[in-house]
Amino acid sequence: MSIAFDEAVANRFIHDLRAAAELLARQGWDRMNARDDALEDFTGGHAELFMELFLVESADRSRLAGALEDLADQVRAAKDRAQEEHERILTLAAWQERENERVAERASAPTGLP
């Protein structure tokens, strides 16, 4: 049984995962600046709640970026294993072809003489 594996799709997926993780990380700086601007004139309970929500969002964004990076690493590992399997299949096919030739040679000269 053969499982189709498209290396180009895997490469694009890895690229997109890493790009999304990087975008999430970069958004942190913009959001931190926006938080600082908002808190200049914002005090009291609402400011504390705003700050708590900012911290939750920041932690969630960071975890998501990390998860995307981890997934990219896993796809890269699967891609590497698929390439190794493809090479193994090619090696086996080449060996099988040589073995078939040896069997045909033995069958054509059962005494072992040419």
Side-chain angles (χ1 to χ4, degrees), residues 1 6 8 13 20 28 31 39 42 46-47 59-60 63 65 72-73 76 81 85 95-96 108-109 113:
M1 179 175 112
D6 191 326
F13 189 42
R31 291 178 183 267
L39 288 176
F42 198 32
H46 289 99
D60 287 349
R63 277 194 301 273
D73 291 342
R76 164 81 57 202
R81 286 191 302 274
E85 180 63 11
W95 176 86
Q96 188 63 55
S108 67
L113 299 174

Side-chain angles (χ1 to χ4, degrees), residues 13-34:
F13 189 42
I14 291 166
H15 174 269
D16 291 347
L17 287 167
R18 294 201 191 285
E22 183 179 325
L23 178 63
L24 286 169
R26 280 195 321 254
Q27 284 178 349
W29 291 106
D30 294 336
R31 291 178 183 267
M32 195 176 332
N33 290 334

Side-chain angles (χ1 to χ4, degrees), residues 98-114:
R98 290 190 308 274
E99 180 63 15
N100 291 344
E101 290 171 2
R102 286 189 290 269
V103 168
E105 283 179 28
R106 286 191 298 267
S108 67
T111 63
L113 299 174

Side-chain angles (χ1 to χ4, degrees), residues 1-2 37 49 68 75 92 100 104 112:
M1 179 175 112
S2 178
D37 289 344
L49 180 60
L68 293 173
V75 173
L92 177 61
N100 291 344

Side-chain angles (χ1 to χ4, degrees), residues 33-93:
N33 290 334
R35 176 209 62 196
D36 292 344
D37 289 344
L39 288 176
E40 282 181 16
D41 297 320
F42 198 32
T43 60
H46 289 99
E48 291 173 18
L49 180 60
F50 178 80
M51 187 61 178
E52 286 180 36
L53 293 175
F54 171 82
L55 294 174
V56 168
E57 183 275 336
S58 178
D60 287 349
R61 188 174 10 82
S62 180
R63 277 194 301 273
L64 178 56
L68 293 173
E69 285 288 346
D70 288 347
L71 181 56
D73 291 342
Q74 291 172 21
V75 173
R76 164 81 57 202
K79 185 183 127 187
D80 292 345
R81 286 191 302 274
Q83 180 62 35
E84 290 168 3
E85 180 63 11
H86 179 70
E87 291 170 6
R88 188 193 66 77
I89 289 169
L90 291 177
T91 300
L92 177 61

